[in-house]
């Protein structure tokens, strides 16, 4: 799915939630966060795949996608 399609789906969910009044704000926010695409592979955040933040652009990238070796210590990983 491309980013425009994802945004349209989130907007539709927000509209339905307002009409029906039964979707908590936290659910809508969680869906929005899960629809954000990261990395050069354009995938949503996955807690099973470590990521590194670029110091220049502040974007997040999977270690394997940018050819960086993941640290042995998972304490440095976000998630």
């Amino acid at each position: 799915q491309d980013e425009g399609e994802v945004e349209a789906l989130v907007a539709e969910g927000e509209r339905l939630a307002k009409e029906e009044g039964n979707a908590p704000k936290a659910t809508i926010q969680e869906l929005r966060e899960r629809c954000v695409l990261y990395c050069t592979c354009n995938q949503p955040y996955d807690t099973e795949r470590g990521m590194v933040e670029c110091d220049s652009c502040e974007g997040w990238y999977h270690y394997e996608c940018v050819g960086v070796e993941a640290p042995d210590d998972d304490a440095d990983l976000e998630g």
Side-chain angles (χ1 to χ4, degrees):
Q1 294 179 351
D2 68 7
E3 198 167 333
E5 184 178 344
V6 169
E7 285 297 319
L9 290 171
V10 170
E12 178 68 9
E14 289 174 336
R15 184 186 65 75
L16 290 172
K18 288 177 186 173
E19 286 179 5
E20 298 179 20
N22 63 356
K25 249 185 173 180
T27 300
I28 299 297
Q29 183 61 30
E30 179 185 337
L31 289 172
R32 181 174 291 285
E33 289 171 5
R34 288 177 37 201
C35 292
V36 174
L37 303 178
Y38 296 93
C39 193
T40 57
C41 65
N42 288 316
Q43 296 295 309
Y45 178 70
D46 177 356
T47 58
E48 300 297 315
R49 297 176 69 194
M51 298 183 84
V52 61
E53 183 180 21
C54 175
D55 291 335
S56 297
C57 71
E58 298 182 354
W60 286 89
Y61 300 91
H62 298 109
Y63 289 105
E64 66 271 14
C65 291
V66 292
V68 175
E69 187 173 331
D72 290 333
D73 182 11
D74 285 346
D76 290 339
L77 299 178
E78 294 257 331

